[in-house]
Amino acid sequence: MSAPLATANQSTIQQEAHLILGILTNHIQGGQRDWTVFNAGMLLYAGGKVSAIGDGVTLAQQLISSGAAASTLQTLTHAPKSPPSESFDQAEVHA
């Protein structure tokens, strides 16, 4: 019974990845893009990168439209995997 669930999860992951790529490469417009831009704008505001949500929405729109967001995704997904730091390896885990 776990195989159909795993297949469903894989399908959902692929659909979400396709949606994200479509938005970031300007191939998907409309409500899904608007929702993404608004959420990104709120996160930019919450993270202190802009002084107002509206400024964050404008910046998010610019980053997507210019291709900068897609370029950053490309860079992050092809970045070399760095090994954990020595302090991480030696850290104690408290349950």
Side-chain angles (χ1 to χ4, degrees), residues 26-69:
N26 295 299
H27 289 97
I28 295 177
Q29 300 292 320
Q32 293 171 319
R33 182 183 189 276
D34 295 344
W35 184 88
T36 301
V37 167
F38 185 71
N39 278 281
M42 289 190 303
L43 290 169
L44 288 165
Y45 172 71
K49 299 297 183 187
V50 294
S51 59
I53 293 173
D55 295 338
V57 169
T58 299
L59 179 57
Q61 288 172 330
Q62 292 170 349
L63 292 171
I64 291 172
S65 295
S66 71

Side-chain angles (χ1 to χ4, degrees), residues 1-86:
M1 202 176 236
S2 64
L5 181 58
T7 303
N9 287 339
Q10 184 64 28
S11 176
T12 301
I13 291 167
Q14 290 172 341
Q15 290 171 349
E16 292 295 322
H18 181 74
L19 177 63
I20 291 167
L21 277 174
I23 290 169
L24 295 183
T25 57
N26 295 299
H27 289 97
I28 295 177
Q29 300 292 320
Q32 293 171 319
R33 182 183 189 276
D34 295 344
W35 184 88
T36 301
V37 167
F38 185 71
N39 278 281
M42 289 190 303
L43 290 169
L44 288 165
Y45 172 71
K49 299 297 183 187
V50 294
S51 59
I53 293 173
D55 295 338
V57 169
T58 299
L59 179 57
Q61 288 172 330
Q62 292 170 349
L63 292 171
I64 291 172
S65 295
S66 71
S71 178
T72 298
L73 178 63
Q74 177 75 12
T75 299
L76 292 172
T77 57
H78 290 90
K81 307 290 188 255
S82 60
S85 68
E86 188 173 306

